[in-house]
Amino acid sequence: MDPETTYTQLGGADGVRRLVDRFYDLMDELPAAETIRKMHADDMSESRDKLFKFLSGFFGGPSLYIKEYGHPMLRARHMPFSIGQSERDQWLLCMNQAIDELVEDIHLAAQLKHSFYRTADHMRNRQE
């Protein structure tokens, strides 16, 4: 593995899995994330698995998502859901807290937060 990839800096598959699991745990736990939680199935196992596979490749590790599902087409896959600024911010609340709890390197944490903000903002399909 390339030691310079985000995937490696996070600790490989185990680190990415921890981030994904904490993110979804927070979505379940935080009342402020209620709206986006309701957009997901009661059992979020599939969502957890898909995000893990996507982030593996996105962060420079194995392209698990692409191998199984093809091109991510993130915006198109999120189009059925009404996503505005509030939903974006709820998603980021969970992800940013997961990063704060799990990523010790402040530069890596800042890089992740910036990247996730750009991606989450791109998913918006509703003006408020």
Side-chain angles (χ1 to χ4, degrees):
M1 284 191 296
D2 181 348
E4 298 301 315
T5 66
T6 302
Y7 180 82
T8 303
Q9 292 173 353
L10 284 171
D14 290 340
V16 174
R17 177 64 71 191
R18 278 191 299 275
L19 183 65
V20 167
D21 285 343
R22 186 61 186 138
F23 165 75
Y24 281 109
D25 290 348
L26 288 163
M27 192 183 293
D28 261 339
E29 295 168 14
L30 298 176
E34 180 180 14
T35 302
I36 61 166
R37 177 58 183 97
K38 288 180 179 178
M39 293 178 169
H40 293 77
D42 289 341
D43 178 357
M44 291 195 292
S45 300
E46 184 177 353
S47 294
R48 288 174 188 259
D49 188 56
K50 284 183 176 180
L51 184 58
F52 166 74
K53 289 175 179 175
F54 170 75
L55 290 180
S56 288
F58 184 73
F59 288 154
S63 298
L64 305 173
Y65 187 95
I66 291 172
K67 287 178 184 172
E68 189 167 340
Y69 302 105
H71 190 283
M73 301 181 301
L74 286 182
R75 189 152 164 77
R77 292 184 196 271
H78 286 82
M79 231 6 123
F81 305 98
S82 180
I83 302 172
Q85 184 175 338
S86 175
E87 291 78 14
R88 175 203 66 195
D89 291 349
Q90 289 178 40
W91 194 95
L92 288 169
L93 172 72
C94 298
M95 185 55 77
N96 287 342
Q97 185 170 329
I99 291 167
D100 288 342
E101 292 177 14
L102 298 173
V103 180
E104 294 179 15
D105 181 317
I106 60 170
H107 299 294
L108 177 59
Q111 172 191 335
L112 290 169
K113 288 179 181 183
H114 176 74
S115 179
F116 280 127
Y117 176 84
R118 290 183 53 186
T119 303
D121 194 55
H122 183 66
M123 294 304 107
R124 290 176 44 208
N125 56 26
R126 184 184 85 235
Q127 296 299 317
E128 295 177 333

